């Protein structure tokens, strides 16, 4: 049970440029819902939390002066697109209390109990321009610990931008100088979207969103309706090494060479999940299945985007296979498919994607939604899946003056086949994998996931 104590609208500490900020096509095709996370803290000295809400409020106001797009609002435009107005309407900060202890959350699986630690958003009954782009909730627990739950508009930031903002906000809260300013000029991507008519993009919409449906079904409607549940999986460093060895040793054996770069742990683990999931879903041998990988393209453009680019610079990249091949062929087969898909993300690929999205008169059909049971937009569930890796992000080093986070989890997983790869909290090389699956498949997946390592 979570009880709300106070609510604050937090505005930038100083006047900011009031304007309509350009949104790239990469921003426009992102969900209109919010990406949610919860960080848990257990400071050794509870006194550190005495002024926690005031510290958060003051430092957030300061941070919003630099990251001012987060204090604005989105407005609907034609074709499902939106407009970002930088108008200092502010972020929402809630203060709450709970009789629970941090240990009551077990493995921190994103259940409704976890979602209650993040400000609620009523998408159905609130006009888009009234929804804050950033909502934060501090919840104090009976054990002396706290959680910081946040919801941030996916149209405004991707994972790297979101982490950049939170890191700078935490710096200010600790009384340090925020010196890593965001790169706010999104028009830099306009040059990629304005392809001359004489140079047609080499890829078209079906290349980016080849979403197969189950054999015998004409759409994803039946699969969307099925009951789903969340579970948390863990892989130790030793188990990950075993998966990597399985794919790399077999690849070397087949190709009689070890000159190729070894498959990464991300590729090896993703291939394992893909194979186990297809097995748990009891796919027909002829069933086409697509694994989508979220790829950051900042360093793949020519010239590269700044690492401090504040906006979306990620896109979902499809790896395709036939279920029979996934099951019958060795693990290096699935790994090769995933690596080939990631390697395709070149400057030309990103340009094609942006031009393709710009040419779409209606972008709503290209969005997916972070709300469970939603019947709108793209559906990445059965027979497909979507993986996002947070392995390269400093998800635990978010220190507001109470020490680093002891745990961190997504606030929710929106649909069947949605999962994250998150580094373990102890820096021991382990991985935590929150996943949403159809109820009828979850037990079989658990069995194969651990037995088939």
């Amino acid at each position: 049970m979570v009880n709300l104590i106070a609510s604050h609208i937090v505005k930038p500490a100083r006047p900011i440029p009031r304007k309509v900020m350009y949104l790239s096509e990469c921003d426009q095709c992102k969900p209109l819902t919010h990406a949610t996370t919860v960080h848990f803290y257990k400071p050794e000295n509870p006194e550190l939390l005495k002024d926690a809400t005031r510290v958060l409020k003051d430092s957030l106001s300061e941070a919003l002066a630099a990251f001012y797009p987060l204090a604005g609002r989105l407005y609907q435009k034609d074709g499902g697109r939106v407009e970002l107005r930088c108008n200092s309407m502010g972020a929402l900060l809630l203060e709450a209390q709970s009789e629970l202890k941090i240990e009551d959350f077990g493995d921190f699986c994103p259940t409704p109990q976890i979602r209650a630690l993040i400000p609620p958003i009523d998408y159905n009954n609130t006009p888009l321009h009234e929804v804050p782009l950033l909502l934060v909730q501090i919840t104090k627990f009976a054990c002396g610990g706290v959680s910081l739950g946040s919801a941030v508009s996916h149209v405004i930031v991707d994972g790297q931008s979101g982490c950049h903002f939170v890191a700078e906000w935490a710096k200010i809260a600790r009384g340090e100088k925020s010196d890593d300013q965001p790169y706010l000029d999104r028009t830099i991507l306009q040059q990629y979207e304005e392809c001359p008519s004489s140079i047609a993009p080499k890829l078209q919409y079906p290349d980016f969103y080849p979403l197969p449906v189950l054999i015998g079904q004409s759409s994803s409607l039946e699969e969307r309706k099925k009951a789903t549940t969340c579970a948390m999986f863990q892989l130790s460093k030793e188990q990950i090494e075993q998966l990597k060895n399985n794919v790399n040793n077999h690849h070397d054996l087949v190709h009689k060479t070890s000159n190729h770069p070894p498959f990464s742990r991300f590729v090896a683990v993703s291939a394992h999940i893909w194979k186990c999931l297809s097995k748990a879903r009891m796919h027909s041998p002829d069933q086409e299945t697509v694994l989508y990988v979220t790829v950051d393209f900042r360093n793949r453009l020519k010239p590269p985007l700044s690492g401090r680019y504040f906006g979306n610079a990620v896109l979902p990249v499809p790896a395709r296979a036939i279920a029979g091949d996934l099951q019958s062929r060795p693990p290096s087969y699935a790994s090769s498919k995933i690596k080939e898909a990631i390697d395709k993300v070149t400057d030309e690929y990103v340009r094609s994607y942006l031009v393709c999205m710009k040419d779409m008169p209606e972008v709503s059909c290209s969005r997916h939604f972070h709300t469970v049971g939603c019947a709108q937009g793209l559906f990445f569930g059965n027979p497909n899946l979507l993986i996002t890796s947070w392995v390269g992000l400093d998800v635990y080093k978010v220190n507001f003056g109470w020490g680093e986070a002891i745990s961190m989890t997504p606030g929710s997983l929106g649909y069947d086949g949605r999962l994250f790869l998150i580094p373990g909290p102890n820096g021991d090389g382990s991985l935590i994998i929150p996943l949403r699956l159809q109820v009828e498949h979850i037990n079989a997946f658990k069995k194969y996931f651990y037995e088939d390592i």
Side-chain angles (χ1 to χ4, degrees):
M1 185 70 180
V2 174
N3 299 311
L4 182 64
I5 297 170
S7 173
H8 313 272
I9 290 290
V10 183
K11 300 192 175 188
R14 292 177 295 285
I16 57 107
R18 298 181 73 87
K19 61 181 181 181
V20 173
M21 181 173 275
Y22 175 78
L23 293 174
S24 76
E25 290 303 315
C26 200
D27 299 318
Q28 293 287 3
C29 65
K30 292 298 182 285
L32 296 180
T33 45
H34 292 58
T36 56
T37 55
V38 184
H39 288 79
F40 291 87
Y41 298 88
K42 191 76 181 288
E44 292 178 13
N45 181 3
E47 281 294 304
L48 292 171
L49 295 169
K50 196 174 175 185
D51 284 335
T53 304
R54 181 190 59 77
V55 169
L56 283 178
K57 187 179 170 188
D58 292 349
S59 55
L60 178 56
S61 177
E62 195 64 40
L64 287 174
F67 294 82
Y68 61 82
L70 286 172
R73 293 292 184 270
L74 294 176
Y75 287 74
Q76 294 279 8
K77 286 170 61 179
D78 292 340
R81 288 177 167 80
V82 291
E83 179 177 273
L84 170 58
R85 297 184 191 174
C86 298
N87 54 16
S88 285
M89 291 296 287
L92 177 68
L93 172 63
L94 300 183
E95 184 180 1
Q97 209 154 17
S98 173
E99 295 169 5
L100 294 172
K101 299 175 181 177
I102 288 179
E103 44 267 37
D104 293 331
F105 292 93
D107 62 2
F108 303 103
C109 185
T111 59
Q113 201 177 36
I114 290 279
R115 185 62 185 84
L117 305 177
I118 302 162
I121 307 168
D122 186 354
Y123 294 109
N124 294 324
N125 299 306
T126 311
L128 182 64
H129 64 271
E130 291 182 11
V131 179
L133 302 179
L134 173 66
L135 307 94
V136 183
Q137 177 176 316
I138 178 172
T139 305
K140 297 181 179 178
F141 299 111
C143 60
V146 297
S147 66
L148 191 66
S150 62
V152 59
S153 169
H154 237 316
V155 173
I156 307 303
V157 300
D158 59 13
Q160 183 159 324
S161 295
C163 282
H164 180 194
F165 163 73
V166 173
E168 292 306 297
W169 175 20
K171 232 187 245 182
I172 297 166
R174 296 196 303 269
E176 298 174 18
K177 182 176 170 56
S178 172
D179 50 9
D180 193 14
Q181 296 299 299
Y183 185 91
L184 296 176
D185 183 9
R186 298 180 188 223
T187 61
I188 193 167
L189 286 182
Q190 253 181 317
Q191 60 179 306
Y192 295 95
E193 297 165 2
E194 293 170 355
C195 183
S197 55
S198 58
I199 310 173
K202 294 191 176 177
L203 297 161
Q204 303 300 323
Y205 187 81
D207 294 301
F208 301 113
Y209 293 110
L211 282 163
V213 297
L214 284 177
I215 291 172
Q217 295 186 10
S218 58
S219 74
S220 63
L221 199 58
E222 286 305 310
E223 295 307 298
R224 287 179 193 256
K225 291 177 184 174
K226 291 182 177 176
T228 59
T229 187
C230 285
M232 211 71 146
F233 297 85
Q234 292 191 335
L235 288 173
S236 67
K237 183 180 181 181
E238 291 71 30
Q239 288 171 316
I240 294 165
E241 286 303 315
Q242 181 63 49
L243 289 172
K244 282 180 67 179
N245 289 338
N246 289 347
V247 296
N248 286 310
N249 292 344
H250 184 271
H251 193 273
D252 292 344
L253 196 66
V254 169
H255 295 275
K256 304 285 192 288
T257 174
S258 58
N259 291 333
H260 74 95
F263 292 117
S264 67
R265 68 172 172 169
F266 170 78
V267 168
V269 170
S270 298
H272 177 65
I273 291 168
W274 195 10
K275 185 171 182 175
C276 293
L277 190 48
S278 179
K279 201 170 167 183
R281 286 167 164 173
M282 295 177 289
H283 285 158
S284 155
D286 298 329
Q287 176 66 57
E288 186 183 6
T289 170
V290 172
L291 178 150
Y292 277 90
V293 180
T294 306
V295 176
D296 186 315
F297 59 74
R298 283 171 175 80
N299 288 327
R300 293 170 184 257
L301 294 179
K302 295 179 180 175
L305 279 182
S306 165
R308 295 178 293 109
Y309 175 80
F310 191 70
N312 282 287
V314 295
L315 48 89
V317 179
R320 316 172 202 213
I322 302 299
D325 289 335
L326 278 183
Q327 299 308 323
S328 63
R329 298 179 72 165
S332 59
Y333 172 77
S335 298
S336 295
K337 289 284 185 183
I338 296 167
K339 187 175 186 305
E340 285 166 16
I342 295 170
D343 288 347
K344 278 182 189 170
V345 184
T346 59
D347 181 85
E348 182 181 63
Y349 185 98
V350 176
R351 285 174 189 269
S352 288
Y353 179 82
L354 294 173
V355 171
C356 176
M357 291 299 135
K358 188 179 182 189
D359 288 346
M360 292 188 67
E362 171 63 59
V363 296
S364 299
C365 58
S366 296
R367 291 193 180 109
H368 62 280
F369 290 77
H370 285 280
T371 43
V372 178
C374 182
Q376 296 174 278
L378 294 174
F379 177 68
F380 291 101
N382 194 14
N384 311 307
L385 62 158
L386 174 61
I387 297 182
T388 298
S389 173
W390 287 349
V391 171
L393 304 176
D394 287 333
V395 293
Y396 300 105
K397 293 183 179 178
V398 182
N399 180 357
F400 289 88
W402 325 315
E404 293 185 358
I406 59 168
S407 184
M408 179 270 189
T409 183
S412 63
L413 297 168
Y415 43 85
D416 173 45
R418 182 71 175 111
L419 64 135
F420 289 84
L421 300 188
I422 304 172
N426 302 320
D428 57 4
S430 65
L431 284 177
I432 297 169
I433 305 166
L435 166 70
R436 180 175 286 278
L437 276 186
Q438 289 178 15
V439 172
E440 62 187 281
H441 300 145
I442 195 81
N443 287 333
F445 178 78
K446 279 181 186 172
K447 178 178 184 289
Y448 301 136
F449 181 77
Y450 291 113
E451 284 184 2
D452 294 358
I453 291 175

